[in-house]
Amino acid sequence: SDRLDELTSYKDAHGDCNVPQSQDRLGIWVSFQRQSYKKGMLSDERIARLESIGFVWDQLEQEWFERFDELTAYKDEHDDCNVPAKQGPLCEWVSRQRKLCKKGTLRQERIELLESIG
């Protein structure tokens, strides 16, 4: 489809398929693909074509795992998970995970992943 070609070009230029909704028709189309996927309304062929170019269905989930990978690398380098404020977004993310855990609102699988690295 034309939009899929457009999305492929966007990915080549930006490194991902996370087109902002504010970015013309392509952003709206990307948002619609995610909504349709969640509702089970996309064909297997469409899903496969989107996934073949690295389309991410759940951006928040992807971002969580990217930060988790950053924390794992930090721990490997520093032998702890006490991320200083100068680390900016990673420090904020770690702080947020701790708060969510204390409040009892962090998902169990995420608690287990975080505990697995210390």
Side-chain angles (χ1 to χ4, degrees):
S1 94
D2 291 342
R3 290 277 182 251
L4 200 56
D5 293 340
E6 235 181 289
L7 183 58
T8 302
S9 297
Y10 180 93
K11 183 182 182 195
D12 291 344
H14 298 91
D16 62 44
C17 297
N18 300 329
V19 184
Q21 269 189 291
S22 59
Q23 185 150 336
D24 206 24
R25 290 189 201 131
L26 182 60
I28 293 166
W29 183 83
V30 165
S31 178
F32 183 75
Q33 301 312 298
R34 288 192 175 108
Q35 290 169 19
S36 297
Y37 176 80
K38 285 178 186 168
K39 294 175 184 174
M41 295 169 52
L42 285 185
S43 69
D44 290 344
E45 179 192 356
R46 171 69 56 88
I47 292 168
R49 290 183 68 195
L50 286 165
E51 288 178 348
S52 76
I53 61 166
F55 192 85
V56 172
W57 299 108
D58 186 337
Q59 286 178 275
L60 293 176
E61 189 81 357
Q62 179 194 24
E63 290 167 11
W64 192 92
F65 280 102
E66 286 172 359
R67 288 283 184 247
F68 177 77
D69 290 344
E70 274 183 63
L71 180 60
T72 301
Y74 181 91
K75 168 97 191 289
D76 290 346
E77 188 177 332
H78 300 276
D79 294 322
D80 65 45
C81 294
N82 300 321
V83 182
K86 69 180 179 189
Q87 294 291 121
L90 181 59
C91 177
E92 293 166 21
W93 182 85
V94 168
S95 177
R96 190 166 52 256
Q97 303 315 301
R98 287 181 175 136
K99 285 177 188 163
L100 291 172
C101 191
K102 283 179 185 157
K103 283 172 39 179
T105 55
L106 189 61
R107 295 196 328 231
Q108 187 60 37
E109 70 263 17
R110 290 184 175 182
I111 292 170
E112 290 168 10
L113 280 169
L114 290 165
E115 287 176 344
S116 75
I117 62 168

